[in-house]
Amino acid sequence: MNPYQRKRRWKFILLGFAILIAGASLWYTNYLVRNISTAERTRAELWARSTQSIIAMPDVNDEYISFIYSIRDSLSVPAIVVDSAENIVTWRGLDSTKTNFDLEADSKKKYDPKYFKNQLKAMKAQHPEPIILELNNLSNEKWFVYYKDSILVTQLKVFPYIQLSLIAIFLLIAYGVFNSSRKSEQDQVWVGLAKETAHQLGTPISSLMAWVELLKSKFNLSDDSMILEMENDVKRLETVADRFSKIGSKPILHNHVVYDVVEEYVNYFKVRVSDKIQFILIGDKQVEALVNVPLFDWVIENILKNAVNAIDNEGIIKIEVKENLVKEQVFIDITDTGSGIPKKDFDTVFQPGYTTRKRGWGLGLSLTKRIVENYHQGSVSVKDSEIGKGTTFRIVLKSNMTYEPTTTS
Ligand SMILES: Nc1ncnc2c1ncn2[C@@H]1O[C@H](COP(=O)(O)OP(=O)(O)OP(=O)(O)O)[C@@H](O)[C@H]1O
Ligand SMILES: [Mg+2]
């Protein structure tokens, strides 16, 4: 299993765990809320029944009454008692500033109608079934006790959501911080390694060039094919060193006709691969973009090499340059008739180290992405792919842009 399959598997396992933990914690608090709610219903019923008993009580001494009242009130949850016409008879556990309701002096009762109406509505929404008090008086009147959850239950209901959201925010921030520091570490490795490679190649290449010149002049071999081949190879080495030095520092971009840059590289490339692979280059021959040619050649090379690798024996590689006038962009679509990429891997192929080839390093496309995004402010993606049919990669460059490199040098 490659590191990316492992990473994906771990992502699923961790996500599963997170869902399990969140689910278990929600289930448990729900269980607690249900238990406390049942206990509160019992308390509300006891309160209602004791109210009923107090009303039915014959005259007893004040001390006894206040004793009964204090027992009753220790049982209560926020409640409102209404008669059958929905007039408030008494209440408890609500905001006392909204009323100066006085049970003894009924005529003086005064309460904020809006507040009580809302409270009653909230109570009915929470517990639609009221506790019914049969007064057993002459008119056989009934009172209805509505009650609502205590603050404790309400807080317990929302607590897990607040807690889980805070944990999620914390984890997201932590992930973001570590991800960006990992990215900047990777940046440093890329840039440092590239600079060092260019530096190490520099000396032997200069000396090889000097040796070739010496051979040419000493033995008068200017037209000798062997010397020309040697010269070509040294030039190729120079190009390689040049690419590495450019990726290790801030490259300079120039305006170029995109089609010409691509055409020149494709012509160089196609003679070096099997002639069973046919190259087709079409598209807009005028549109220009800011590019650094040695680096951009590297981009095209990586994508073309992958296309060649994906083609089993014979096939077609089509390159199309298109201008998107609306967004001032240039599209370079490279389509092959190769093995195709599964949809789930459209993004993964750009990760460093992802490869399906036996002798691949999985670096080609991540380098391509770096060059296009960091040095050309463009983008590269898998536009389309179908297993067994082929793949289209799309590079997008700005056709008319102001250059602001974002790379570390
Ligand atoms: N045109 C394509 N068709 C099918 N699969 C592709 C294509 N281009 C890339 N891939 C897949 O993406 C993987 C990563 O490509 P990348 O160029 O990054 O690495 P590589 O080619 O495996 O190794 P190297 O470092 O030598 O380039 C490839 O191994 C291949 O599975
Ligand atoms: Mg490759």
Side-chain angles (χ1 to χ4, degrees):
M1 194 186 289
N2 69 41
Y4 289 98
Q5 279 168 323
R6 211 175 305 141
K7 193 170 153 189
R8 192 178 295 155
R9 177 187 269 199
W10 270 108
K11 266 189 194 162
F12 278 120
I13 293 175
L14 290 177
L15 187 73
F17 262 118
I19 292 172
L20 207 70
I21 292 170
S25 119
L26 287 177
W27 177 83
Y28 187 63
T29 30
N30 221 6
Y31 168 77
L32 286 182
V33 165
R34 253 184 292 130
N35 278 355
I36 299 175
S37 265
T38 316
E40 288 198 338
R41 168 100 191 171
T42 313
R43 277 159 65 194
E45 270 172 3
L46 279 173
W47 181 79
R49 300 282 162 233
S50 36
T51 305
Q52 188 179 22
S53 313
I54 289 170
I55 292 162
M57 229 179 255
D59 286 345
V60 275
N61 67 50
D62 281 355
E63 207 177 301
Y64 183 63
I65 281 267
S66 58
F67 172 65
I68 299 286
Y69 268 123
S70 62
I71 293 182
R72 181 194 72 161
D73 290 349
S74 71
L75 297 168
S76 65
V77 288
I80 295 177
V81 182
V82 292
D83 62 17
S84 38
E86 290 244 323
N87 295 314
I88 294 172
V89 180
T90 183
W91 60 271
R92 70 142 296 108
L94 299 173
D95 185 355
S96 59
T97 63
K98 304 286 182 193
T99 178
N100 61 2
F101 182 79
D102 184 351
L103 191 68
E104 301 293 305
D106 222 355
S107 58
K108 283 189 203 158
K109 72 177 174 189
K110 210 163 88 187
Y111 49 85
D112 183 339
K114 198 172 161 201
Y115 173 75
F116 276 90
K117 209 175 148 194
N118 284 341
Q119 289 296 327
L120 198 60
K121 207 169 143 193
M123 287 175 181
K124 281 182 179 172
Q126 271 186 12
H127 304 286
E129 292 287 308
I131 302 163
I132 300 167
L133 297 185
E134 314 264 358
L135 292 185
N136 296 329
N137 56 10
L138 284 179
S139 58
N140 261 341
E141 206 185 331
K142 277 183 192 168
W143 284 356
F144 301 90
V145 182
Y146 288 97
Y147 71 102
K148 68 173 184 177
D149 292 335
S150 63
I151 293 182
L152 175 75
V153 174
T154 316
Q155 283 173 342
L156 202 59
K157 271 184 188 165
V158 293
F159 173 72
Y161 295 100
I162 296 174
Q163 188 191 34
L164 292 173
S165 330
L166 285 178
I167 293 175
I169 292 170
F170 169 77
L171 288 179
L172 279 178
I173 293 174
Y175 179 79
V177 169
F178 283 111
N179 209 23
S180 85
S181 77
R182 188 177 54 98
K183 277 214 170 102
S184 77
E185 268 173 29
Q186 278 182 359
D187 269 5
Q188 275 185 347
V189 174
W190 269 109
V191 169
L193 206 63
K195 269 185 179 164
E196 180 62 17
T197 310
H199 179 72
Q200 298 228 5
L201 283 174
T203 324
I205 292 172
S206 324
S207 98
L208 270 176
M209 265 164 29
W211 284 118
V212 173
E213 284 307 313
L214 195 72
L215 277 176
K216 270 204 288 198
S217 59
K218 194 164 182 183
F219 301 103
N220 202 13
L221 291 173
S222 296
D223 299 328
D224 188 275
S225 65
M226 228 163 57
I227 290 290
L228 287 178
E229 283 303 316
M230 273 173 89
E231 251 185 337
N232 272 344
D233 284 341
V234 174
K235 271 197 192 126
R236 172 79 189 146
L237 269 177
E238 239 189 325
T239 316
V240 171
D242 190 37
R243 285 173 173 180
F244 277 105
S245 88
K246 289 211 159 64
I247 212 163
S249 59
K250 199 162 85 181
I252 298 165
L253 306 188
H254 292 290
N255 234 349
H256 289 278
V257 175
V258 178
Y259 189 94
D260 294 349
V261 175
V262 177
E263 184 177 38
E264 195 166 324
Y265 192 77
V266 170
N267 286 342
Y268 166 84
F269 184 84
K270 68 182 177 194
V271 293
R272 283 165 176 77
V273 296
S274 154
D275 53 11
K276 286 189 178 153
I277 297 177
Q278 190 193 343
F279 285 81
I280 301 170
L281 176 61
I282 53 169
D284 190 314
K285 294 188 179 170
Q286 256 105 49
V287 56
E288 293 185 358
L290 281 170
V291 287
N292 179 282
V293 176
L295 284 186
F296 198 69
D297 282 350
W298 207 356
V299 168
I300 304 290
E301 177 181 312
N302 281 324
I303 297 180
L304 290 183
K305 270 190 183 166
N306 284 348
V308 169
N309 288 331
I311 291 171
D312 198 13
N313 182 19
E314 53 187 299
I316 301 169
I317 299 176
K318 186 175 126 190
I319 303 118
E320 187 172 3
V321 179
K322 287 188 268 192
E323 184 174 20
N324 179 2
L325 276 173
V326 186
K327 291 193 175 167
E328 295 181 343
Q329 288 171 329
V330 191
F331 295 153
I332 302 146
D333 289 349
I334 303 174
T335 307
D336 63 61
T337 53
S339 53
I341 301 172
K343 205 162 187 90
K344 67 177 174 48
D345 288 332
F346 277 17
D347 289 329
T348 320
V349 290
F350 292 98
Q351 310 248 30
Y354 176 84
T355 182
T356 53
R357 293 199 300 123
K358 255 195 187 142
R359 271 187 238 127
W361 290 104
L363 286 182
L365 285 179
S366 62
L367 186 69
T368 298
K369 198 174 175 68
R370 261 188 97 76
I371 297 174
V372 175
E373 288 181 357
N374 291 6
Y375 300 92
H376 291 85
Q377 296 185 318
S379 66
V380 55
S381 56
V382 179
K383 181 173 170 271
D384 262 324
S385 189
E386 210 177 313
I387 299 294
K389 292 224 164 127
T391 306
T392 302
F393 275 87
R394 168 167 284 185
I395 303 168
V396 182
L397 297 179
K398 285 199 177 149
S399 62
N400 186 12
M401 66 179 203
T402 37
Y403 176 51
E404 282 168 31
T406 54
T407 176
T408 43
S409 57

